[in-house]
Amino acid sequence: MLKEIETVRDTVPGFTGVISDLGGPTANMYRLACKSREIESACRKPSCVFPGICPNLNTDHAPLIELYRKARALPGIKKVLIASGVRYDLAIESPEYVKELAQHHVGGYLKIAPEAISEGPLSKMMKPGIGTYDRFKELFDRYSKEAGKQQYLIPYFIAAHPGTTDEDMLELALWLKKNGFRADQVQAFLPSPMATATAMYHSGKNPLRRVTRSSEEVVVPRGLKVRRLHKAFLRYHDANNWPLLREALRRMGRADLIGPGKQHLVPPWQPAGTGMLAEGSRARGDVRKHGGASAAPFRTQHTGLPDGHRKGRP
Ligand code: SF4
């Protein structure tokens, strides 16, 4: 990798000294692997990190930290950024890594992908609970502040993933509002080949979890109406979505969330000229193909970022 950086430096015309991403499908799984090849070859677990990090998984980030340090010390290299997805559940195992990342390798914003906050969808994605995100954020904020840097996490979420109920999306919308996030674009799940979530989408069952003698039943948000609603929850701040959200909140027995206050999700009024946008064109415009592992670009009040995140399999 160091040689590759030198090659880029020496051969790319107009190279500015900035490496835009020193990562891969996942930013921080360099040299992380099962402690024993023998154990690994006999292992039948579908994930090394879910429902918790396997005690046999080596989570030592020291080789990666060393690589970062060597990369940024190369002559002619001004900055090495990390733009790949960070497995924050693994990163919090190494506060020193988070420190290195926050203080030297983030250009103001770091995209990460909690994808959901409720146990229902998270368990289908085999992803950690939102408490893990909170712990990562705490470390990220602390080390950014220590370095005198104003930096922000940009969390990504997805609508209509198998295992997601309307209540899960409402909980997420309230979380987004509480934390001051507004999605620029949103993505809804679309089944694609070779994804476990696709099997769930088609069968309504979770092939990874058995309950008594058959696979766990999975609720699947299917059809335009429910997909549109789940996306609307992600963009609760868009007035065009308010009629749909008001209708859903009343149906869900949560009319208490309609009102003018900060504690409400949507106001009771409708600004002139909104709420009548052709739903079909909106749906076509911002849903992209998705294989069960990805994301919705969000922004804080400060900025928005293009979608470019990918996540590797642990
Ligand atoms: S889950 Fe992963 S780390 Fe744990 S024993 Fe299996 S292969 Fe090894």
Side-chain angles (χ1 to χ4, degrees):
M1 278 181 263
L2 295 172
K3 277 198 180 128
E4 202 175 322
I5 293 173
E6 286 176 323
T7 306
V8 168
R9 178 197 63 194
D10 299 338
T11 59
V12 173
F15 177 65
T16 58
V18 178
I19 298 291
S20 57
D21 185 17
L22 185 65
T26 302
N28 59 320
M29 292 192 72
Y30 178 64
R31 301 249 171 109
L32 305 194
C34 191
K35 281 173 185 165
S36 152
R37 290 206 166 187
E38 209 180 350
I39 295 174
E40 185 178 13
S41 61
C43 180
R44 293 292 171 265
K45 281 182 68 176
S47 168
C48 304
V49 293
F50 184 84
I53 295 173
C54 176
N56 288 325
L57 184 68
N58 166 28
T59 58
D60 182 9
H61 283 59
L64 185 57
I65 293 171
E66 196 187 326
L67 177 65
Y68 284 5
R69 287 178 181 165
K70 283 185 180 165
R72 64 175 191 261
L74 286 172
I77 300 301
K78 291 186 205 149
K79 187 96 185 159
V80 177
L81 294 166
I82 304 301
S84 301
V86 172
R87 278 294 314 203
Y88 54 88
D89 49 346
L90 291 167
I92 59 171
E93 295 291 305
S94 171
E96 198 192 349
Y97 170 74
V98 183
K99 183 175 182 180
E100 199 78 10
L101 177 71
Q103 300 195 341
H104 298 283
H105 301 281
V106 175
Y109 296 90
L110 180 69
K111 292 176 285 174
I112 60 170
E115 316 228 37
I117 66 166
S118 309
E119 202 271 339
L122 285 173
S123 66
K124 309 305 172 293
M125 300 170 190
M126 295 199 290
K127 294 213 70 167
I130 196 69
T132 310
Y133 165 85
D134 293 336
R135 283 198 289 284
F136 178 78
K137 183 175 186 313
E138 190 194 320
L139 289 172
F140 181 82
D141 288 348
R142 188 201 308 165
Y143 293 130
S144 296
K145 195 174 167 198
E146 216 176 86
K149 294 184 165 188
Q150 264 205 337
Q151 303 190 131
Y152 304 92
L153 291 179
I154 307 291
Y156 282 62
F157 295 96
I158 183 167
H161 190 279
T164 311
T165 62
D166 296 353
E167 284 71 20
D168 292 329
M169 292 308 295
L170 170 58
E171 189 187 346
L172 177 53
L174 293 171
W175 184 93
L176 291 170
K177 181 155 198 239
K178 188 174 132 215
N179 289 283
F181 289 115
R182 291 176 167 218
D184 280 341
Q185 306 161 294
V186 298
Q187 289 187 341
F189 172 83
L190 277 180
S192 62
M194 307 300 288
T196 309
T198 302
M200 293 183 203
Y201 177 85
H202 286 290
S203 67
K205 293 185 183 292
N206 181 359
L208 301 172
R209 186 154 184 261
R210 292 184 80 77
V211 176
T212 57
R213 297 175 73 184
S214 71
S215 297
E216 175 194 26
E217 298 281 337
V218 175
V219 54
V220 178
R222 207 191 296 271
L224 191 58
K225 201 173 167 195
V226 66
R227 291 170 62 80
R228 194 177 288 162
L229 174 63
H230 284 202
K231 286 169 63 192
F233 274 120
L234 285 179
R235 283 183 50 84
Y236 64 89
H237 52 281
D238 181 349
N240 287 309
N241 291 326
W242 292 349
L244 191 63
L245 290 173
R246 279 193 289 264
E247 183 194 314
L249 290 171
R250 287 193 192 101
R251 178 177 45 77
M252 293 162 76
R254 293 306 312 269
D256 59 300
L257 291 170
I258 303 170
K262 277 190 173 173
Q263 72 277 24
H264 300 116
L265 187 65
V266 288
W269 65 81
Q270 193 64 37
T274 63
M276 289 173 290
L277 197 65
E279 294 288 348
S281 63
R282 262 195 299 148
R284 281 194 301 277
D286 55 9
V287 175
R288 295 179 213 164
K289 192 161 185 178
H290 187 279
S294 214
F298 273 73
R299 62 172 172 168
T300 60
Q301 301 296 342
H302 316 281
T303 190
L305 288 172
D307 176 28
H309 174 76
R310 288 190 303 142
K311 184 187 71 159
R313 181 197 177 279

